[in-house]
């Protein structure tokens, strides 16, 4: 019996070398220690032996069974470990790979400029107003000191809708008149109004028949041009960076006296001169001035008691300058290949 078990062991040691897969393990278990396996088979003729011999043989068979089980178990463990390692290697996460870009929406840059204005002016106690885009001639011109037949109307190629009385507003300034009349002439005014405006322009890289202005009006007591300058300074720094400087150039508008144009120092060349500022070092971004006494009185404010300033910024112009865009039409474009890069172009 001893010899037989020795033979079986030798055979097993040889066989085990060829065991490489879980299926092989199942097979080798069946061959040696399964119900019909070689080792189990040794028990078959036990009844032919005496009780003492049976005891001895039983011990020998048990010993070889334990040994065989251990050998197979060791091999099985090796195989399982190998399979696990292979799996880990194959399925491991390569953290050096660049992440997939998540495409998310972003506010339109024109909207962002408008939001910047609203944030600055609301923090100073201004209210944000809306006004109608289909406007009456009275608000768009007459109450702003531009009577019917006045040549100043020619400067704004207006879309008239009906009988010279209704028009698409050519500026956001009519909202000044609306707010003053609404407040009734006895309380201070602090308002801005961002909104769409319309002119009969051919569309090109710098013109659009529809564009956006940001109107502002402050009416109170003892307001001076330097209050206007300080206010413009604040918004210019917010939009174009803390080192931005501002200057006023004399200008002319019917509804302000004196009238100015607001220039900001060129953020691209810091005033040295470049193609953005046409080598002047300065860029015009708004019209402004002290509210004309005629406008105040027509809108219910006594010019002997009240005065104030007003301004109108070109929102697209500010957005183009801030985000480095040369063609106005890009702003209205929804092509993500162009608009997705706006943020990166931001100049601060
Ligand atoms: N409405 C003017 C325009 O469209 C801009 C403007 C200039 C607005 C001076 C103002 C102002 O409020 O005071 O050209």
């Amino acid at each position: 019996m001893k010899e037989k078990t020795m033979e079986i062991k030798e055979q097993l040691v040889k066989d085990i070398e060829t065991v490489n897969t879980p299926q092989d393990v199942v097979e080798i278990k069946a061959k040696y220690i399964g119900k019909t396996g070689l080792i189990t088979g040794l028990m078959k003729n036990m009844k032919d032996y005496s009780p003492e011999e049976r005891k001895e043989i039983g011990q020998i068979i048990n010993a070889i069974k334990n040994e065989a089980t251990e050998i197979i178990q060791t091999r099985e463990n090796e195989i399982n470990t190998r399979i696990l390692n292979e799996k880990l290697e194959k399925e491991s996460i390569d953290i050096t790979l660049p992440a997939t870009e998540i495409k998310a929406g972003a506010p339109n840059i024109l909207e962002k400029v408008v939001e910047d204005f609203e944030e600055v002016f609301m923090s100073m106690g201004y209210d944000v107003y809306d006004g109608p885009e289909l406007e009456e001639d009275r608000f768009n011109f007459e109450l702003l000191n531009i009577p019917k037949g006045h040549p100043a109307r020619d400067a704004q190629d207006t879309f008239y809708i009906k009988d010279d009385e209704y028009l698409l507003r050519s500026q956001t300034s009519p909202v000044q008149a609306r707010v003053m009349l609404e407040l009734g002439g006895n309380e201070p005014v602090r308002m801005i109004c961002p909104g769409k405006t319309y002119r009969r322009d051919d569309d090109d890289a710098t013109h659009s028949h529809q564009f956006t202005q940001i109107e502002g009006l402050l009416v109170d007591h003892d307001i001076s041009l330097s209050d206007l300058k300080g206010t413009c300074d604040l918004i210019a720094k917010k939009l174009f960076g803390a080192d931005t400087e501002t200057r006023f150039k004399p200008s002319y508008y019917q509804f302000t006296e004196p009238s100015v144009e607001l220039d900001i120092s060129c953020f691209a060349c810091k005033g040295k001169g470049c193609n953005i500022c046409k080598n002047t070092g300065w860029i015009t971004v708004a019209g402004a001035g002290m509210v004309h006494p005629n406008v105040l009185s027509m809108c219910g404010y006594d010019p002997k008691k009240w005065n104030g300033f007003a301004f109108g910024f070109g929102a697209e112009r500010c957005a183009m300058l801030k985000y480095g865009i040369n063609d106005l039409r890009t702003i209205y474009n929804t092509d993500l290949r162009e608009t997705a890069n706006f943020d990166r172009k931001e100049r601060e």
Side-chain angles (χ1 to χ4, degrees):
M1 181 56 73
K2 265 247 163 84
E3 270 164 33
K4 250 195 181 158
T5 60
M6 289 295 280
E7 267 170 37
I8 292 176
K9 191 183 161 185
E10 264 171 41
Q11 202 180 333
L12 172 62
V13 170
K14 247 191 238 157
D15 273 359
I16 204 83
E17 289 305 315
T18 66
V19 169
N20 285 312
T21 66
Q23 182 56 33
D24 294 344
V25 172
V26 172
E27 280 165 17
I28 204 156
K29 272 184 185 168
K31 181 172 174 186
Y32 288 91
I33 51 178
K35 265 188 195 148
T36 54
L38 291 174
I39 294 173
T40 325
L42 295 176
M43 311 271 212
K44 251 191 214 154
N45 305 319
M46 284 294 256
K47 58 181 186 319
D48 301 339
Y49 297 97
S50 69
E52 290 85 59
E53 283 170 330
R54 259 187 245 165
K55 196 178 166 197
E56 200 184 329
I57 292 169
Q59 277 170 357
I60 295 171
I61 295 175
N62 261 342
I64 180 72
K65 193 174 180 183
N66 289 343
E67 227 179 314
T69 307
E70 204 180 309
I71 291 173
I72 296 172
Q73 187 64 56
T74 308
R75 188 70 182 163
E76 188 175 16
N77 290 348
E78 281 169 15
I79 290 169
N80 287 343
T81 308
R82 195 197 69 218
I83 289 173
L84 181 67
N85 284 342
E86 278 171 8
K87 204 168 166 194
L88 283 177
E89 196 157 308
K90 239 198 279 163
E91 294 172 14
S92 73
I93 299 158
D94 183 353
I95 55 164
T96 63
L97 278 178
T100 326
E101 195 183 345
I102 298 168
K103 292 218 159 69
N108 182 278
I109 53 167
L110 192 57
E111 204 54 43
K112 278 170 82 170
V113 165
V114 169
E115 277 171 15
D116 281 344
F117 268 91
E118 290 178 351
E119 198 184 305
V120 168
F121 283 97
M122 278 162 68
S123 76
M124 294 192 286
Y126 283 65
D127 288 322
V128 180
Y129 276 85
D130 247 351
E133 289 168 38
L134 179 60
E135 187 53 286
E136 294 173 42
D137 182 90
R138 188 162 75 99
F139 290 107
N140 198 80
F141 290 124
E142 283 170 47
L143 290 170
L144 296 173
N145 205 26
I146 314 174
K148 284 218 161 76
H150 196 282
R153 290 183 175 222
D154 297 347
Q156 306 195 359
D157 288 315
T158 310
F159 283 113
Y160 279 93
I161 302 296
K162 193 170 169 253
D163 305 336
D164 288 4
E165 283 310 326
Y166 292 97
L167 45 82
L168 288 177
R169 69 178 176 198
S170 59
Q171 49 188 355
T172 42
S173 305
V175 186
Q176 291 186 22
R178 285 184 171 274
V179 174
M180 280 191 274
L181 287 170
E182 185 184 313
L183 296 182
N186 35 36
E187 59 176 298
V189 184
R190 266 185 220 176
M191 71 92 168
I192 62 163
C193 169
K196 293 190 183 107
T197 51
Y198 302 83
R199 290 188 197 175
R200 286 187 288 118
D201 244 336
D202 286 332
D203 293 356
D204 63 23
T206 51
H207 296 88
S208 169
H209 65 282
Q210 183 224 290
F211 54 103
T212 312
Q213 287 189 337
I214 299 166
E215 194 73 23
L217 172 69
L218 180 139
V219 178
D220 211 318
H221 305 293
D222 301 323
I223 302 301
S224 73
L225 203 60
S226 58
D227 294 318
L228 173 61
K229 180 81 162 39
T231 305
C232 290
D233 226 53
L234 211 68
I235 185 69
K237 285 180 165 52
K238 163 80 180 173
L239 283 178
F240 298 107
D243 55 354
T244 308
E245 287 175 34
T246 55
R247 75 172 184 190
F248 282 160
K249 264 184 330 204
S251 187
Y252 181 79
Y253 298 101
Q254 280 288 117
F255 35 91
T256 42
E257 179 57 38
S259 300
V260 295
E261 273 182 321
L262 170 68
D263 284 358
I264 57 161
S265 58
C266 181
F267 46 81
C269 64
K270 306 280 173 225
K272 286 194 200 81
C274 68
N275 60 351
I276 292 175
C277 59
K278 301 202 177 83
N279 281 318
T280 62
W282 296 92
I283 303 165
T284 304
V285 289
M290 301 304 289
V291 184
H292 197 291
N294 288 355
V295 174
L296 287 172
S297 62
M298 280 190 279
C299 295
Y301 279 78
D302 181 353
K304 289 198 194 77
K305 292 190 194 141
W306 299 92
N307 77 338
F309 61 69
F311 55 80
F313 280 79
E316 281 84 357
R317 183 153 173 72
C318 290
M320 286 168 77
L321 291 167
K322 180 164 178 167
Y323 296 95
I325 295 158
N326 300 322
D327 192 329
L328 173 61
R329 291 163 293 195
T330 321
I331 294 178
Y332 306 120
N333 204 341
T334 51
D335 187 337
L336 283 176
R337 284 168 302 181
E338 288 189 32
T339 54
N341 290 323
F342 283 161
D343 265 351
R344 283 172 220 146
K345 286 190 198 158
E346 187 162 355
R347 301 170 175 157
E348 286 222 297

